[in-house]
Amino acid sequence: MTSLFDPERLEELGPHEFRRAVQRLMLHCGYEAFSIDSPGDGGGDLYCEGPEYTCVIQCKWKKRGAIGRTAFAEAREALYSGLYPAHRAFVATNRHFSPDAKKYWKQLENNRISVQGWDLRHLKNWEERYAREWLARKTLRPYQNEAIEAVEGDLRNTNKALLFLATGLGKTVVAGEIIRNILEKKPDAKILVLAHLKELVEQLQRALWTNIPINVPSQIVGSGSTPDDLPGLTVGTQLSIQKYMAAGYAPDLLVVDECHHVGEDNTYAKILSELGDTKILGVTATPWRGDGFDIEQNFGRVSYSCGIEEGMKKKYLSAIDYKLYSDNIDWDAVSDLSRHDYTLKDLNRRLFIAHRDEKILEALFEVWRETVAPKAIIFCQSIPHVKNMHRAVLRYEKWRKAEVIHSNMSPSERRSALTRFRQQDCPMLLAVDILNEGVDVPDVNIICFARVTHSRKIFVQQLGRGLRTSPGTYKEKVVVIDFAADIRRLAAIHNLKKSVTGEEKEEVDYHNRIDMIFEDTQAESLIEEWIQDAADLETAHDEYRLNYPSVP
């Protein structure tokens, strides 16, 4: 049996993989284990909730030498920081403790301070005595079983499969079950999972631990981690895996997460062309690309598909109360637009008057007051815009702990902001596009679009941040406040409304309200005519031209 705590492997993999090994051990021992390793963590690396107690763990990896008393002082600080409702603290290490550390540990015990040490011998003992081989299998929804059957059929027949599941419907769950089925038949199989962002890699590895037995190795490549060998499950970015592919690494299965990033001529495409007989599975929530490239060229026809509309109808996604405000039409421009052959880009620039942030926050505050346990994400246009909006929201007493996330922040700063947002006392997160993919905060029940989003893909990704259901919380629905300034956005909501609340449905959930709010009926009539002018307007490019109706 391969141990999580093989000393030679731990020495090769380094401190981050040691922390992940401890986290994985706690999961297999029946605890929920969360990484809290970020600035402001109060001295902790892992926070664990279990049947007997909660604890915070300080993980100390060293290549050689002993662990000193400082590690116990940091664990004590984390225990009493007030950041975690922990009963105990532990120091886990791949080495041994110095005499001074053991002396300080004894002092803490004498003062009834619950801080203890786990060396490599202790960790191995826990693994052998208490860790389950497999984590409990998740209860799958009917459509997830259908997706697994369809994907596995295509992998058998063509070595390729493509899965399209909207955000919140569990594409990683389905991919994980397929990996589990492979490992049950072939325990030494090599599985490679690729993501396009470093921030998604550790999240993916953590999610897939559910589907691999404890004796199957798991490692991340990239972000300073360069293991010599890649047994079992490997998770990395397309850039980090290239040198291994060049050296002859050949996985049994490649899973490409967010596979819409695979293009006609990019790093992903090069990797796929070198894989030979490897089975390839692409998974995505948004299969559209801006350049028109069809990802079916790489992954074959879609094996299984379930979009937002179908997920909402089946009640696997949160009910939605969508308020789309289009009060800002420049009526002086309408007649001119009707006489000239303008493109969509021209139309959007000339038709809409920019909204003031103050008006957006007024609408948001009204929704906030009517929502039980409100938790909101505001999507902003740019980094200067998100900073300005943040200054504005801090003037509201209820929003004083709002967080910001954008691409100019370091990875640790972004992780820290997201960690605080997941906690109950942080009510709001303001973001630019970096929040589009890979973020799972199910209790979000307010989404505010304070930006223009021309891309259908980005719009669907951002909307998906609020569509996850959250059993056991106050969340009954997600309220969306959208200040649209793009004719394609209006078309997208028009089509969503028609699909989810259309006449063909015998009974409409009263929570699924999708309202287009106009100042007058003339605006609504105008937009309706333009939307109906092109059936595929929602995905049209900027140079698309409409036959605009005349306006008296």
Side-chain angles (χ1 to χ4, degrees):
M1 173 179 172
T2 302
S3 171
L4 288 173
F5 302 102
D6 175 80
E8 293 183 3
R9 181 168 169 77
L10 287 177
E11 184 175 320
E12 174 195 347
L13 293 177
H16 296 298
E17 209 63 72
F18 174 67
R19 168 178 53 80
R20 290 189 279 267
V22 176
Q23 184 180 7
R24 194 173 167 197
L25 171 67
M26 297 303 290
L27 290 169
H28 279 265
C29 289
Y31 288 77
E32 282 293 316
F34 308 93
S35 174
I36 53 174
D37 183 20
S38 63
D41 58 25
D45 291 322
L46 299 172
Y47 170 68
C48 306
E49 298 177 345
E52 298 179 7
Y53 54 80
T54 61
C55 66
V56 61
I57 303 175
Q58 172 67 243
C59 298
K60 289 295 183 183
W61 175 94
K62 289 189 75 171
K63 197 159 190 174
R64 57 185 60 87
I67 302 299
R69 65 179 286 161
T70 302
F72 285 90
E74 290 175 347
R76 181 185 184 280
E77 178 186 350
L79 181 63
Y80 290 104
S81 66
L83 296 174
Y84 321 103
H87 303 119
R88 303 180 186 180
F90 297 95
V91 178
T93 180
N94 66 317
R95 303 296 299 176
H96 58 277
F97 298 112
S98 69
D100 188 44
K102 291 179 181 178
K103 180 180 178 181
Y104 183 60
W105 175 4
K106 188 66 175 178
Q107 290 175 359
L108 293 175
E109 284 184 337
N110 291 339
N111 290 320
R112 297 184 178 180
I113 297 174
S114 187
V115 179
Q116 300 175 26
W118 293 341
D119 59 15
L120 202 57
R121 179 184 57 82
H122 187 106
L123 291 168
K124 282 186 174 181
N125 183 56
W126 263 63
E127 182 183 22
E128 293 170 3
R129 294 183 61 184
Y130 304 114
R132 293 170 291 175
E133 181 181 5
W134 293 85
L135 294 176
R137 199 162 205 152
K138 294 183 178 179
T139 301
L140 299 179
R141 297 166 175 172
Y143 70 86
Q144 291 172 336
N145 282 313
E146 293 171 6
I148 291 168
E149 183 178 353
V151 167
E152 290 183 334
D154 283 348
L155 289 176
R156 281 194 304 271
N157 295 330
T158 67
N159 277 359
K160 294 181 178 182
L162 179 57
L163 174 66
F164 168 36
L165 288 181
T167 300
L169 294 179
K171 59 185 175 65
T172 305
V173 171
V174 171
E177 286 296 315
I178 292 166
I179 291 171
R180 182 179 186 128
N181 292 341
I182 290 175
L183 290 172
E184 285 180 339
K185 296 175 182 177
K186 186 181 179 183
D188 62 344
K190 294 182 179 180
I191 310 295
L192 174 62
V193 180
L194 293 182
H196 69 291
L197 291 176
K198 294 178 182 178
E199 288 82 4
L200 301 181
V201 168
E202 187 165 343
Q203 178 180 320
L204 271 172
Q205 185 197 41
R206 164 68 175 81
L208 293 172
W209 282 338
T210 303
N211 305 102
I212 65 174
I214 196 169
N215 61 325
V216 169
S218 169
Q219 58 277 323
I220 284 175
V221 293
S223 300
S225 179
T226 56
D228 294 332
D229 190 24
L230 302 181
L233 173 68
T234 301
V235 187
T237 65
Q238 72 275 25
L239 297 176
S240 67
I241 202 66
Q242 282 185 291
K243 74 168 190 174
Y244 294 96
M245 305 295 295
Y249 170 67
D252 295 272
L253 173 69
L254 167 63
V255 179
V256 181
D257 188 50
E258 309 292 359
C259 68
H260 53 273
H261 290 282
V262 177
E264 187 172 11
D265 184 22
N266 59 12
T267 305
Y268 272 125
K270 183 179 179 182
I271 290 172
L272 293 177
S273 69
E274 297 174 351
L275 283 174
D277 294 333
T278 295
K279 295 182 184 298
I280 302 170
L281 167 60
V283 296
T284 181
T286 53
W288 319 285
R289 284 181 58 88
D291 60 6
F293 177 72
D294 187 355
I295 58 175
E296 291 189 12
Q297 293 184 36
N298 294 115
F299 299 99
R301 63 177 180 80
V302 177
S303 306
Y304 188 86
S305 173
C306 185
I308 285 178
E309 297 89 349
E310 188 176 354
M312 290 173 63
K313 286 180 180 179
K314 293 179 177 179
K315 299 188 178 180
Y316 288 120
L317 292 179
S318 178
I320 189 170
D321 184 352
Y322 203 112
K323 303 177 187 297
L324 185 142
Y325 295 84
S326 295
D327 305 346
N328 56 332
I329 293 177
D330 183 357
W331 287 105
D332 292 335
V334 170
S335 296
D336 183 56
L337 288 168
S338 302
R339 290 192 300 267
H340 294 83
D341 190 22
Y342 283 122
T343 64
L344 277 177
K345 185 176 181 179
D346 294 327
L347 171 64
N348 286 321
R349 188 178 69 250
R350 296 168 183 266
L351 180 65
F352 297 104
I353 302 170
H355 273 291
R356 295 179 303 168
D357 290 344
E358 291 82 357
K359 183 174 182 180
I360 293 172
L361 292 181
E362 287 174 7
L364 176 59
F365 192 75
E366 288 300 313
V367 169
W368 190 275
R369 291 195 305 178
E370 298 172 357
T371 303
V372 178
K375 199 171 191 72
I377 297 175
I378 303 178
F379 286 105
C380 299
Q381 184 70 31
S382 62
I383 293 175
H385 184 214
V386 80
K387 291 180 178 179
N388 289 335
M389 286 290 283
H390 189 228
R391 283 192 289 268
V393 303
L394 292 181
R395 293 198 293 265
Y396 291 76
E397 179 66 30
K398 297 179 181 294
W399 300 339
R400 291 275 172 87
K401 292 187 177 182
E403 293 286 342
V404 171
I405 184 170
H406 55 74
S407 59
N408 279 4
M409 298 165 64
S410 69
S412 61
E413 288 174 328
R414 295 197 294 265
R415 185 169 60 246
S416 181
L418 283 172
T419 298
R420 289 191 292 271
F421 179 56
R422 288 188 175 98
Q423 297 171 358
Q424 290 185 354
D425 62 343
C426 178
M428 181 183 294
L429 185 67
L430 295 89
V432 194
D433 285 346
I434 199 167
L435 201 65
N436 294 349
E437 298 169 334
V439 176
D440 183 7
V441 187
D443 55 342
V444 168
N445 52 13
I446 300 174
I447 295 286
C448 178
F449 289 107
R451 56 157 294 157
V452 179
T453 304
H454 301 298
S455 163
R456 180 188 186 191
K457 179 184 71 178
I458 291 176
F459 164 64
V460 170
Q461 288 170 342
Q462 294 178 341
L463 177 61
R465 297 308 114 208
L467 290 180
R468 294 187 185 276
T469 57
S470 185
T473 70
Y474 290 106
K475 182 175 181 179
E476 295 181 348
K477 61 181 178 180
V478 58
V479 182
V480 182
I481 312 167
D482 188 352
F483 291 83
D486 189 304
I487 189 72
R488 285 161 295 193
R489 173 70 67 81
L490 296 170
I493 304 309
H494 175 273
N495 293 335
L496 183 65
K497 179 178 181 179
K498 183 178 179 181
S499 177
V500 175
T501 64
E503 294 180 357
E504 73 277 2
K505 192 177 179 185
E506 294 181 4
E507 184 177 338
V508 176
D509 188 332
Y510 75 96
H511 281 146
N512 277 330
R513 288 202 328 241
I514 302 176
D515 298 325
M516 290 189 178
I517 302 170
F518 295 89
E519 286 184 341
D520 55 54
T521 55
Q522 184 182 8
E524 186 170 8
S525 175
L526 174 72
I527 296 298
E528 179 79 15
E529 287 187 68
W530 281 352
I531 289 172
Q532 291 179 354
D533 182 69
D536 59 351
L537 179 59
E538 185 182 344
T539 55
H541 55 77
D542 279 346
E543 303 310 312
Y544 189 94
R545 297 175 185 272
L546 290 176
N547 297 317
Y548 308 126
S550 60
V551 178

